[in-house]
Amino acid sequence: MSTFNIPSKEEVSVTNQGIFDALKKQVGFVPNLYATFAYSENALKNYLDFAGAPTSLKAKEKEVVNLAVSQVNNCDYCLAAHTAIGKMNGFNDEQILELRQGKASFDAKLDALAALAKNVTENRGNTDATVLEKFFNAGWSKENLIDTISLVGDKTISNYINNTVKTEIDFPAAPSL
């Protein structure tokens, strides 16, 4: 059960109302996570700018990180959302379940990325040296490392908000592991 009601467009600032309009055009609806961010005058825009910033990671690679981090943080909302987005990016159900566990037996490079995202999250940035070595040996760069850690931070922010306020899930529920 949600701790917070999901604010309607009329309940948020004029600035956030404009963002709601843009989200409706872009996504077709305003996801409850974004509506919850709109309780703050600034957080929604700041988060969308951060989440949408340029990165060396492709969309599919970002979903690897999003799924692994959301699983470590036990965020049901983000697991549901990123299961749907993962499918839109070409992952099948079995691959998504594996990515949530921080692995990708179907792709060595994504396996190293998933393992890194899981390890960084579990260890709060005190990354295991063998995981980091595997990441670089798989062909990832230092730029990819920094962008991955930034994405871990991005996803952790949304995970923590959802877990704190119990955001009502507006995507199909993700299956249990």
Side-chain angles (χ1 to χ4, degrees):
M1 176 168 202
S2 180
T3 305
F4 286 47
N5 71 303
I6 304 303
S8 67
K9 180 179 170 183
E10 294 72 30
E11 295 174 291
V12 302
S13 71
V14 172
T15 300
N16 285 333
Q17 288 177 11
I19 296 171
F20 277 27
D21 290 341
L23 285 167
K24 270 194 139 175
K25 283 182 188 171
Q26 195 174 32
V27 182
F29 71 108
V30 178
N32 287 342
L33 167 64
Y34 296 152
T36 301
F37 267 101
Y39 274 109
S40 165
E41 175 68 29
N42 300 300
L44 178 58
K45 180 184 182 312
N46 291 344
Y47 181 77
L48 290 173
D49 287 348
F50 184 42
T55 178
S56 62
L57 300 176
K58 297 179 178 100
K60 192 169 189 172
E61 296 163 347
K62 287 174 68 172
E63 289 314 308
V64 169
V65 176
N66 291 334
L67 287 161
V69 172
S70 296
Q71 184 65 51
V72 170
N73 289 328
N74 295 311
C75 182
D76 291 335
Y77 185 95
C78 288
L79 286 170
H82 291 290
T83 293
I85 297 167
K87 288 178 184 179
M88 291 174 11
N89 279 282
F91 292 118
N92 65 37
D93 291 332
E94 295 77 29
Q95 290 170 331
I96 288 170
L97 290 172
E98 197 174 338
L99 292 168
R100 288 172 50 191
Q101 297 172 63
K103 334 181 242 195
S105 64
F106 54 92
D107 183 299
K109 193 168 183 182
L110 293 181
D111 186 57
L113 178 62
L116 177 76
K118 178 181 181 187
N119 191 265
V120 166
T121 307
E122 288 177 334
N123 296 306
R124 295 182 175 95
N126 294 300
T127 309
D128 184 272
T130 58
V131 171
L132 195 55
E133 182 179 1
K134 177 182 172 184
F135 179 79
F136 288 127
N137 287 341
W140 297 102
S141 68
K142 290 177 182 174
E143 178 184 20
N144 298 142
L145 173 67
I146 300 304
D147 286 346
T148 299
I149 295 169
S150 292
L151 183 54
V152 168
D154 160 358
K155 194 46 41 202
T156 299
I157 291 167
S158 62
N159 291 167
Y160 284 12
I161 287 176
N162 289 318
N163 287 346
T164 297
V165 305
K166 310 291 185 230
T167 308
E168 182 182 332
I169 299 170
D170 51 355
F171 291 90
S176 297
L177 285 183

